[in-house]
Every structure is written in C-alpha cells, then in structure tokens.
Amino acid sequence: MATRRRKPIPPPGPGAPLDLALQGGGSHGAFTWGVLDRLLDDETLAIDGICGTSAGALNAAVMATGWAQGSRIGAKAALRAFWLDVAEQGGCFGSGSGGEPDQPGLVGSSLEGNPLYFWSQQFLRALSPYQFNPLDINPLRDVLRRHVHEEALRTGPLAVFVTATAVRTGQPRVFDRNDVTIDALLASACLPQLFRAVVVDGEPYWDGGYSGNPAIWPLIYETPALDVMLVKIDPLVRPETPDTSGEIADRVNEITFNASLVSEMRAIAFVQRLVREGRLSDGEYKDLRLHMIADERHLAQLHPSSKLNTDRAFLEALFDLGCAAAHAWLARHRHDIGVRSTFDPAKTFLAQRSANRPTTSTGP
C-alpha cells in the first residue's frame, strides 16, 4: 500500500485537519460513541474525513448525518439517539451474566452463561441464515433508516468511507459519500453467521472487518489530512491461551478482524521510514501523523459474547469508558495533532521477532 498524495497537504499546526478511523466490534462500538462524543466537545479539532467498518461504519454515518444537520451539537445528539435506539430494541438474549471486569457497569456483560445464548450458538452451527431467516429480516435496517440520511452523507461537510467485503472475491469495497446507502452500511456490518449476504449493485457483501477493520487507505488517497486518529476496540493481545472450542473460535475471529489493520499499519510504517530516510519524496508520499485512542485494559476483559449485548447500562458503561479514554488522550496529546505522531505503528503492530532473527528489514 503506497501512501501517495492525491491532494495538497495543509500546513502543520494545531488547526491541521484530522481524519478518524473507526474499528468495528458489535456493541463495543458504544466505546467509540464515547470517544466521538468527547472529541466533538473540542471545537478546535478540525475533523475532515471518517472511515469505518461494521459498528465503526454505523458510528461514522450517524455522526456525519448529525453533523450535516446540526454541526457538532447535532452529531453528538445523533450518536446518542442512535445508541439509545439500539438499546431500546432489546437484546436477543436478555441481559448478560457472568464475567467479572473491574469496571462498574461492565460486570455481568458476558452472555456466555445465558442459556439462550448457549442454545443460539448450537443453532447457528447447524443452520445458516438462509435456512433460519428466509425472509431476510434484519432489525438493524429500520434503526438505520431512523438515524442515517443518505442525502446528508452526500452533501454534508464530512467525507465518509465505509468498507464491506465482497463475498465472491474476498476483496474490500469502499463506499464513499456518493454511494453510502443503508444497504452499504448493512453490508459493512453483515456477520455471515447471523445474516444473509447484503446485495449491493448485484454483488453480495459480508462484514467489512474481514478485509479492512478499518481500511485506512481511503483517507490517504481521498483526503488532504496527514493526521489520522485510530479508535481501536478489538484487542491485539490476549495473555491467556484459549482452550475451549468457544474461546478458540472467538480468538480466531479477533485475529482475523485485526489482520488487515496490522498489515496496513506495517505498510504505513515502512513508507514512513523510507520518507524519513530520504528514499521516497515527502512531496509525493504522505508521512502520516498517527494517533490512537484505545482501552485494552478494560475492553480485553470483556468476553467476546458481550459484543451482542445491547443492554442500555452496558452500552452507557462503554460510552463512559470511551469518553474517559478520549479525555485522557486529549489532555496528553492535543498539542501533537498537526505536529507529530503519538504512537509508533512499527512498535505497536509489527510482528514480534525471535531473539535470533536479524532486526533489519527491507519491506513491510
């Protein structure tokens, strides 16, 4: 992936434009809601473009809709209304049970001990959504229709990019402001175990997390900003080795959904190094300033089943975590936007090396 420039680069400094890259992760996307709510409080942040996948795509589209209709205040109100509407729909399995995270509001978020969740997992192993959902019912469709206005996405000030995965080719498709529709958002959030593939322009699509969670390159090619803020909700590291079939399957999903981001970050780190060594022209390639807001300490404690938990108390607890993480980041690094990166993708995302392996490399 080349980080080649396509538009004039704005001058550095505190007022430099900032792009947002939002990961997916089911109801854990409420953490991102909290991050966005806090960022929107800072009127000096010049947010320009947003890319998102799955829950990140929904956050991006709702925020852009609200911004087009009422600027920052409208964006904050739109995000809150969307997530509270999600909570009002009621969870598929009732409230969570079990699990002991150390944060109030997260205790009992796991669905692992819920008998309805247990039997649903057995059911999903035996039947596909084409068998148990022949009418292709997706309750998320009506929620999105209430909170996303396609015309606002096309004409609003924020550039929105949404990633879905083409079923036939396995390649990502990025929908931009000209073709982001309700169906494109449903495609980006389409888990194939739960929903039938979403057909857009005659092509079937699954969740964008399989090919870009999120895809950073649309921001590189289509916006002028050098500063990119990644809001990460999927843990990269799990200290314990999974030893049950459910835990193994969950960890495989996490690794799969992080793989594309890891690969893209490795490529970005490689281009950064070549630019700084003078081997590529910084007049032709972007030397991105990267930032990241995350809370692995708390989110990694959550059982993967909690991504299906839409209990209001749980969503609001995640919102509070996101607000706190964004507030802490701004207190430490607000002055770095437009000036320097605040994390090193090579250290965070590059593969660990063995003690006997040479430390030099010639590529991403």
Side-chain angles (χ1 to χ4, degrees), residues 229-253:
M229 171 73 76
L230 170 65
V231 182
K232 189 171 73 64
I233 58 178
D234 280 342
L236 285 172
V237 177
R238 291 280 184 184
E240 303 296 332
T241 301
D243 57 7
T244 69
S245 61
E247 290 173 346
I248 291 169
D250 290 332
R251 185 57 181 153
V252 167
N253 283 337

Side-chain angles (χ1 to χ4, degrees), residues 38-79:
R38 178 62 186 88
L39 295 181
L40 287 165
D41 283 338
D42 188 336
E43 296 186 359
T44 68
L45 283 177
I47 299 172
D48 184 35
I50 318 175
C51 68
T53 294
S54 196
L58 308 188
N59 274 318
V62 171
M63 175 177 163
T65 295
W67 190 299
Q69 297 174 335
S71 192
R72 293 173 184 271
I73 294 176
K76 286 167 61 74
L79 286 165

